[in-house]
Amino acid sequence: MLSIPASRPNAYTGSPLDRAALRREDADWIAAALADPETLFVPVWRARSLMKGVQEGRPEAVLLTGAAAEAVRMAGGPWSFLGLWEGRPVFAVDCSEAADPLPLLPEGMGSFTDLRAVAGLLPAGEASVLAHARGLMHWRTKHRFCGICGSGCEPRSAGHAMVCTGCKAQHFPRTDPAVIMLVVRDDHCLLGHSTRFPNTVMYSTLAGFVEPGESLEEAVRREVLEESGIVVGDVRYHSSQPWPFPSSIMLGFHAEGLTEAITIDPEELRDARWFSRAEIRDPAAHGFALPRADSIARRLIEDWLAHGMPQDRTTGA
């Protein structure tokens, strides 16, 4: 099976931030940065990000400074230091306790929008920063209590750690690894229609979470077998994509299908099919839709399609 390289970066990658991790433990520096009127703040309200230009189809991130940032911080939500953007400190701040944070801001500052709805239109760096802020604020708001003893937790390391006030256990932001794979056999690829898809005609790559004690390649083979009944041979890494919705990273692969007969898991899939390259090139003509352009699933499909030749299954491991 031939390796297929990634043709371009995935959405939410390419962050312009220097995470400046050593600054997290410098309390004086963090305090000065929080008080600096030139510091940038990335507000998150109930998992939504502040943007303008959304209705016009030209979204851009809105980062707050000075009085506007102070007004949002007065909502009393958690905050975390994200890093430095061209030397300027950048913090995420959650303002979800406010019933409506827009009245706290000057007019014309935009609206809070679901990042996934516009990620493909945002500049790459902005999408990455908004995703970073969203994921970290989700963790902060969901880990206020210790999972060991149940006591309350207090933030440390500029919002990158939580310490239990009872048993003193330290808790850190979590990222759940998930594999996502395009299974290919000869000149066809395997796509499934998930029970969770809101789009009734969309077919996408298979995916699933990595289980304890499992390698990534083993997870690919297990998930494909469980969901479709297809036995997978060779597995080749393609690329990864942060997916903070709420706390995952998608690890993309191309995988060699050794069998053809499909037996779906009806709890996971409504349908799964082998699609030819001709069908993939013109999905509308064949009654289905591909995943969104900003998704790693679409990257896996497009890069396989662009590779331009049938997979040589004689070279698989």
Side-chain angles (χ1 to χ4, degrees), residues 86-106:
E86 297 180 350
R88 298 173 71 179
V90 182
F91 290 81
V93 58
D94 191 281
C95 53
S96 298
E97 292 300 318
D100 182 1
L102 289 180
L104 302 175
L105 303 174

Side-chain angles (χ1 to χ4, degrees), residues 40-63:
L40 301 171
F41 288 83
V42 186
V44 178
W45 180 69
R46 301 179 184 178
R48 293 172 175 257
S49 302
L50 184 61
M51 306 177 212
K52 61 182 180 180
V54 174
Q55 296 299 323
E56 296 78 14
R58 297 186 299 275
E60 57 182 290
V62 176
L63 277 62

Side-chain angles (χ1 to χ4, degrees), residues 18-34 79-84 87-91 156-160:
D18 170 3
R19 297 202 176 206
L22 294 178
R23 291 295 191 184
R24 298 172 189 169
E25 306 302 329
D26 188 339
D28 291 339
W29 187 91
I30 292 294
L34 287 169
W79 56 267
S80 296
F81 173 58
L82 299 183
L84 301 173
R88 298 173 71 179
V90 182
F91 290 81
R156 295 287 188 275
S157 191
H160 284 262

Side-chain angles (χ1 to χ4, degrees), residues 183-248:
V183 181
V184 298
R185 179 174 171 81
D186 297 325
D187 205 27
H188 289 71
C189 69
L190 178 69
L191 301 179
H193 179 67
S194 172
T195 57
R196 297 180 293 276
F197 286 170
N199 185 331
T200 57
V201 297
M202 188 178 81
Y203 279 73
S204 185
T205 54
L206 305 188
F209 287 103
V210 181
E211 294 187 350
E214 187 174 50
S215 73
L216 300 179
E217 293 82 1
E218 289 167 343
V220 168
R221 295 185 180 102
R222 174 185 54 77
E223 283 288 345
V224 173
L225 183 63
E226 289 176 353
E227 293 189 5
S228 68
I230 299 297
V231 176
V232 164
D234 196 17
V235 175
R236 297 292 177 89
Y237 177 74
H238 175 270
S239 63
S240 62
Q241 180 181 40
W243 195 253
F245 308 107
S247 56
S248 300

Side-chain angles (χ1 to χ4, degrees), residues 21-27 30 34 78-82 91 136-137 139-140 143-144 152-173:
L22 294 178
R23 291 295 191 184
R24 298 172 189 169
E25 306 302 329
D26 188 339
I30 292 294
L34 287 169
W79 56 267
S80 296
F81 173 58
L82 299 183
F91 290 81
L136 198 51
M137 290 300 93
W139 175 76
R140 284 293 312 275
H143 288 80
R144 294 177 295 167
C153 291
E154 294 180 343
R156 295 287 188 275
S157 191
H160 284 262
M162 298 292 281
V163 177
C164 177
T165 57
C167 68
K168 308 304 179 184
Q170 296 185 69
H171 304 278
F172 300 95

